[in-house]
Amino acid sequence: MKTTRFNILYPIIGAFLLALFFQAPASAGNDNRFTLVIDAGHGGHDPGAIGRNVKEKNINLKVALKLGRLVEQNLPDVRVVYTRDRDVFIPLHRRAEIANNVKADLFVSIHTNSLASRNSRVSGAETYTLGLHRTQENLEVAQKENSVILIEDDYKQQYAGFNPNSAESYIIFEFLQDKYMAQSVSLAQLVQRQFRNNGRQDKGVHQAGFLVLRETSMPSILVELGYITNPTEASFLISENGSATMARSIYTAIANYRNQQRNVRSGGNRETTPVTNIPADETDSASREAIPEAPAVPADTRAPQTAPRCNRPDTRRNRKLRARYSRFRLPPRRGYFRKEAGN
């Protein structure tokens, strides 16, 4: 009886061990793929900016999903991870955690800009990397995007008292040293180049203090697709043609960025062919819209490779502020805006 039992168990155990042996390499291969995290800004009860009959969260998600499909169809060795793939609210810190948990190689956050006046004629796309703002306009963009933390229940604890509406809170970015700055700027420049190539107004590459970028541990950018407060641009962005155009522009930039990085790792000996023409979705080719192109505006997309220093006067008040935020110079990277457990 015992012999019969062992005769039955041995084949089962053997099959189990063989299955583990053959599945391990496949899992390791999947973990080693280049991972792209696509972050559609806002969502759920957070609509983002609001235009005429259109909400920012819907534009962001539409472009994000089309971008992901293009990557999956044309770059099979790239794994795509979404922070959200439907209309749900995701806290700001959770978006960065998703990217860090999957050990992403690239983080792209997609947003739509706005101005106080809904009848504004200002238009154009711009791409941000992490750093200290140089202009009041860049600060206002960061404040607008960071203000989403105010609708989170525990934002004071999660972000260690960071106030997105206070200009003084952004002094922490004066001390920022981002080791991924060069890669982030390179990708941002490629994105803006593709926007220009597709007839969109280029508002350049900028730096500002975005919390979602600060929390990520990989090259990362935040794209402002255009102005939802410009009725013409908002109609373009929410249309099938417009959302596909923006998605293809970002996709082409990512593909060219990957080629550049491969070339750098191979010592510059690898021949790469720039991606130029990306096929449009079949549904988009049948519904091209005559959208008037904004006049091209020359823009210097060169951004500094390190976060700029702030030229604040050496007053007693500013010395106190620097002393107050000096702890943010210390590692770990992800602990800057979150109190550690037990504190």
Side-chain angles (χ1 to χ4, degrees):
M1 184 70 176
K2 290 183 179 180
T3 303
T4 304
R5 184 179 301 172
F6 282 119
N7 289 340
I8 295 173
L9 288 177
Y10 282 143
I12 295 175
I13 295 173
F16 178 74
L17 292 176
L18 285 173
L20 289 178
F21 177 78
F22 285 109
Q23 287 179 3
S27 299
N30 289 337
D31 291 341
N32 290 331
R33 286 187 300 167
F34 185 96
T35 301
L36 167 67
V37 172
I38 302 175
D39 173 43
H42 306 282
H45 59 270
D46 171 27
I50 299 177
R52 291 183 181 176
N53 303 318
V54 61
K55 297 178 180 178
E56 178 187 354
K57 65 175 183 177
N58 297 330
I59 294 176
N60 300 343
L61 183 60
K62 197 169 187 177
V63 173
L65 294 177
K66 289 188 176 184
L67 170 60
R69 284 196 292 270
L70 281 171
V71 173
E72 290 169 342
Q73 292 168 2
N74 297 282
L75 299 174
D77 59 331
V78 176
R79 175 171 61 146
V80 175
V81 177
Y82 300 94
T83 57
R84 70 178 182 99
D85 57 5
R86 58 191 185 280
D87 187 18
V88 294
F89 176 74
I90 306 294
L92 206 61
H93 67 88
R94 177 59 187 151
R95 297 170 187 266
E97 286 178 354
I98 291 171
N100 293 330
N101 290 342
V102 299
K103 295 179 171 57
D105 297 281
L106 207 57
F107 179 86
V108 177
S109 188
I110 298 175
H111 289 260
T112 308
N113 221 331
S114 66
L115 289 175
S117 173
R118 292 193 178 186
N119 294 322
S120 171
R121 307 308 299 178
V122 176
S123 63
E126 55 193 350
T127 303
Y128 284 86
T129 62
L130 184 65
L132 181 68
H133 60 276
R134 286 185 164 185
T135 68
Q136 180 65 26
E137 181 182 359
N138 294 348
L139 172 62
E140 290 173 357
V141 173
Q143 288 177 324
K144 175 173 63 70
E145 301 298 356
N146 290 338
S147 64
V148 66
I149 70 173
L150 298 177
I151 63 177
E152 298 179 22
D153 294 332
D154 56 349
Y155 77 92
K156 290 185 178 180
Q157 179 180 358
Q158 286 288 350
Y159 305 98
F162 181 89
N163 182 358
N165 296 323
S166 170
E168 292 181 354
S169 292
Y170 291 82
I171 195 174
I172 56 178
F173 295 99
E174 178 181 355
F175 309 116
L176 182 67
Q177 295 297 323
D178 186 1
K179 66 179 180 179
Y180 299 109
M181 178 66 72
Q183 296 99 309
S184 300
V185 169
S186 176
L187 175 60
Q189 291 172 339
L190 291 170
V191 169
Q192 288 302 124
R193 181 183 303 167
Q194 291 304 315
F195 286 155
R196 287 198 307 273
N197 292 345
N198 283 281
R200 307 313 300 163
Q201 183 171 342
D202 176 14
K203 291 181 67 67
V205 174
H206 310 285
Q207 289 181 320
F210 294 96
L211 292 179
V212 69
L213 300 186
R214 171 62 262 179
E215 292 285 288
T216 56
S217 301
M218 72 285 304
S220 54
I221 62 172
L222 186 145
V223 180
E224 294 283 1
L225 300 170
Y227 284 82
I228 199 171
T229 45
N230 181 319
T232 302
E233 191 157 62
S235 298
F236 172 78
L237 294 175
I238 197 61
S239 69
E240 291 299 322
N241 175 44
S243 57
T245 297
M246 305 308 282
R248 287 197 302 273
S249 298
I250 301 172
Y251 163 79
T252 306
I254 291 172
N256 286 329
Y257 170 83
R258 283 209 67 200
N259 288 340
Q260 286 185 358
Q261 295 302 308
R262 285 174 173 175
N263 194 39
V264 170
R265 294 191 185 98
S266 63
N269 298 322
R270 184 189 182 100
E271 293 186 3
T272 58
T273 303
V275 179
T276 54
N277 296 320
I278 305 302
D281 293 342
E282 293 181 1
T283 56
D284 297 327
S285 60
S287 59
R288 298 293 181 185
E289 300 181 20
I291 303 297
E293 296 182 0
V297 175
D300 183 4
T301 58
R302 292 172 295 178
Q305 298 301 300
T306 58
R309 299 285 297 180
C310 179
N311 296 322
R312 293 178 179 271
D314 188 24
T315 63
R316 180 179 179 183
R317 178 171 174 273
N318 284 332
R319 285 197 297 272
K320 286 184 177 181
L321 285 172
R322 289 189 176 93
R324 176 184 176 187
Y325 289 108
S326 61
R327 67 183 184 277
F328 292 115
R329 299 181 185 180
L330 302 177
R333 177 184 174 89
R334 294 179 58 202
Y336 287 5
F337 294 110
R338 189 174 303 127
K339 291 183 179 178
E340 300 296 337
N343 291 349

